[in-house]
Amino acid sequence: MAKNPERPTTHLDEVSKAIIEQLQQDGRRSYAAIGKVVGLSEAAVRQRVQRLIDAGVMQVVAVTDPLQLGFARQAMVGVRVNGPVGPVADAIAALDEVDYVVVTAGSYDLLVEVVCESDEHLLEVISGQIRTIDAVSVTETFMYLELKKQTYSWGVR
């Protein structure tokens, strides 16, 4: 979910936070079950969830295991850019194989996660697509060997 810098921060009341926490624990939890926990009707929970989605606060998605879907190679790619970072980030984000792009401070201007079917596919994405973007000066690829932790239930503040 891309963050829009022009969109103001949405104030969340305690009920909305509780709804988010319920969905972080189980994205398939029914609105009726959530309503019992937070003290609202099923319809009221449905409306709140839709408002949170419309406001860009959250999204409800199926998180998959890329290996189970035939994507044998995942990697994080550090990218250094000559000039403005934004246009390069946008160009990389438009690639089908890219599922995460973040502008960073440090050794790299961007960190990019790619999901590919094979080593050959990864090579084509890095050499044939990312490195051919004019302002890209350096890439460094960190191939994933084993995933130890991935969570989306960090709660709300």
Side-chain angles (χ1 to χ4, degrees):
M1 176 168 24
K3 185 170 184 160
N4 182 346
E6 297 171 9
R7 183 182 357 203
T9 302
T10 303
H11 172 72
L12 300 177
D13 63 13
E14 294 306 312
V15 174
S16 291
K17 290 178 183 180
I19 290 170
I20 292 169
E21 287 174 339
Q22 290 291 306
L23 289 169
Q24 284 179 325
Q25 291 168 13
D26 180 357
R28 298 184 314 157
R29 189 164 288 153
S30 73
Y31 294 149
I34 294 170
K36 287 178 184 175
V37 172
V38 302
L40 293 176
S41 70
E42 178 181 350
V45 171
R46 180 178 291 107
Q47 289 173 346
R48 286 228 187 189
V49 168
Q50 192 58 54
R51 282 198 307 260
L52 292 166
I53 292 169
D54 292 345
V57 171
M58 67 175 203
Q59 55 182 305
V60 180
V61 299
V63 177
T64 60
D65 178 351
L67 286 174
Q68 296 295 322
L69 299 175
F71 297 101
R73 181 58 66 212
Q74 290 180 268
M76 185 67 67
V77 181
V79 180
R80 288 193 192 123
V81 174
N82 289 326
V85 175
V88 175
D90 292 341
I92 292 174
L95 300 175
D96 289 338
E97 295 85 355
V98 172
D99 67 1
Y100 178 84
V101 177
V102 63
V103 177
T104 63
S107 297
Y108 298 100
D109 299 304
L110 301 170
L111 289 178
V112 176
E113 185 176 63
V114 296
V115 179
C116 297
E117 296 171 7
S118 64
D119 288 339
E120 294 79 15
H121 186 201
L122 176 64
L123 178 62
E124 194 282 320
V125 170
I126 294 168
S127 293
Q129 297 181 56
I130 294 175
R131 288 184 181 157
T132 61
I133 298 169
D134 284 338
V136 170
S137 63
V138 172
T139 64
E140 183 173 358
T141 304
F142 303 91
M143 292 183 13
Y144 296 179
L145 299 177
E146 181 180 11
L147 179 64
K148 289 294 192 177
K149 180 178 181 179
Q150 182 174 21
T151 183
Y152 299 97
S153 57
W154 46 79
V156 293
R157 306 287 179 270

